[in-house]
């Protein structure tokens, strides 16, 4: 029998609330559709490192965000791809619905939850695994172009920025939205649908 499993690649920055909600939607869909999801790190700090037009208030967010991306990259290199999603879940739960702005609280608690050594926290302030983190980032961003953000999703090899959603849909509407994304990905000439956001991130 031919497998109908859908290959999904998901690039995220742990600090991005929009990526967080999209990831919760993908989790919901995965309970009802046969998905093979691979989770990849990307970095809003890297994405904007040469952008002089962003506000200073947004730039101030990048050092904290970079710590989380460096941590995930190090964990993936030292403990394998299988720890990426659990670590993202543990970080994101504290950062987004939990509302924590302190990586010195978030990181140790997330590592403990996942069962990773506390010593990994040091890599959040080290550039040792930046080459791997940047390679993952540019793999994702290279599929969609520089003028986007997180998340980036590839469905059976066709990549998009988004979808940007708030709140994360559940139930039948989650599946309807997913089927629409799969349909869009099936046409090589499809590039963009967009409208202005009218609400902030809503965490359930």
């Amino acid at each position: 029998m031919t497998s109908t499993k859908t290959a999904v690649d998901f690039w995220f920055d742990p600090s991005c609330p929009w990526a967080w909600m999209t990831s919760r939607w993908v989790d919901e869909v995965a309970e009802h559709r046969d998905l093979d999801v691979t989770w990849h790190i990307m970095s809003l700090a890297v994405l904007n490192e040469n952008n002089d037009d962003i506000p200073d208030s947004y730039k101030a967010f990048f050092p904290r965000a970079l710590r989380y991306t460096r941590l995930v990259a190090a964990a993936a290199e030292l403990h394998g791809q299988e720890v990426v999603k659990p670590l993202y879940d543990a970080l994101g739960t504290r950062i987004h619905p939990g509302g924590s702005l302190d990586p010195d609280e978030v990181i140790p608690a997330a590592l403990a939850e996942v069962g990773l050594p506390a010593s990994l926290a040091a890599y959040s302030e080290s550039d040792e695994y930046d080459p791997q983190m940047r390679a993952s980032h540019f793999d994702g961003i290279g599929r969609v172009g520089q003028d986007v953000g997180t998340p980036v999703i590839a469905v059976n090899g066709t990549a998009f920025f988004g979808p940007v959603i708030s709140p994360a849909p559940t139930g039948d509407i989650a599946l309807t939205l997913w089927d629409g994304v799969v349909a869009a990905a099936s046409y090589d000439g499809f590039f963009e649908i967009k409208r202005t956001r009218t609400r902030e991130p809503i965490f359930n």
Side-chain angles (χ1 to χ4, degrees):
M1 179 180 296
T2 302
S3 172
T4 58
K5 190 179 288 290
T6 301
V8 180
D9 290 275
F10 192 113
W11 282 264
F12 65 92
D13 183 312
S15 292
C16 178
W18 302 104
W20 176 253
M21 284 185 294
T22 305
S23 72
R24 301 310 93 182
W25 164 66
V26 170
D27 282 349
E28 172 82 4
V29 172
E31 295 182 7
H32 306 280
R33 295 284 191 269
D34 193 7
L35 307 185
D36 180 14
V37 186
T38 304
W39 301 85
H40 308 271
I41 197 67
M42 67 179 294
S43 171
L44 290 171
V46 172
L47 181 68
N48 290 282
E49 60 189 356
N50 296 314
N51 185 352
D52 296 326
D53 296 328
I54 57 176
D56 289 340
S57 58
Y58 193 40
K59 289 180 182 178
F61 149 87
F62 292 144
R64 183 173 73 246
L66 188 58
R67 288 188 63 183
Y68 297 131
T69 59
R70 283 173 162 169
L71 177 72
V72 174
E77 287 299 311
L78 295 172
H79 295 274
Q81 171 64 32
E82 63 272 14
V83 306
V84 171
K85 180 57 160 55
L87 183 55
Y88 178 32
D89 291 344
L91 292 168
T93 298
R94 290 164 173 81
I95 295 166
H96 301 300
S100 178
L101 298 176
D102 186 355
D104 290 325
E105 292 181 358
V106 169
I107 289 171
L111 291 173
E113 178 182 324
V114 179
L116 290 169
S119 59
L120 270 180
Y123 289 104
S124 74
E125 298 183 280
S126 165
D127 62 2
E128 182 171 348
Y129 292 102
D130 277 16
Q132 291 89 336
M133 180 267 286
R134 286 175 172 271
S136 178
H137 170 86
F138 287 113
D139 180 26
I141 211 71
R143 301 174 188 229
V144 292
Q146 185 72 19
D147 56 339
V148 298
T150 63
V152 171
I153 295 183
V155 179
N156 288 328
T158 299
F160 301 104
F161 162 56
V164 176
I165 49 181
S166 180
T170 59
D172 289 344
I173 190 62
L175 301 179
T176 298
L177 177 59
W178 176 257
D179 293 340
V181 169
V182 172
S186 71
Y187 177 55
D188 181 62
F190 177 83
F191 296 103
E192 184 175 0
I193 292 178
K194 185 174 176 63
R195 64 173 178 157
T196 300
R197 293 196 299 262
T198 59
R199 66 182 64 156
E200 294 301 309
I202 300 170
F203 304 118
N204 293 327

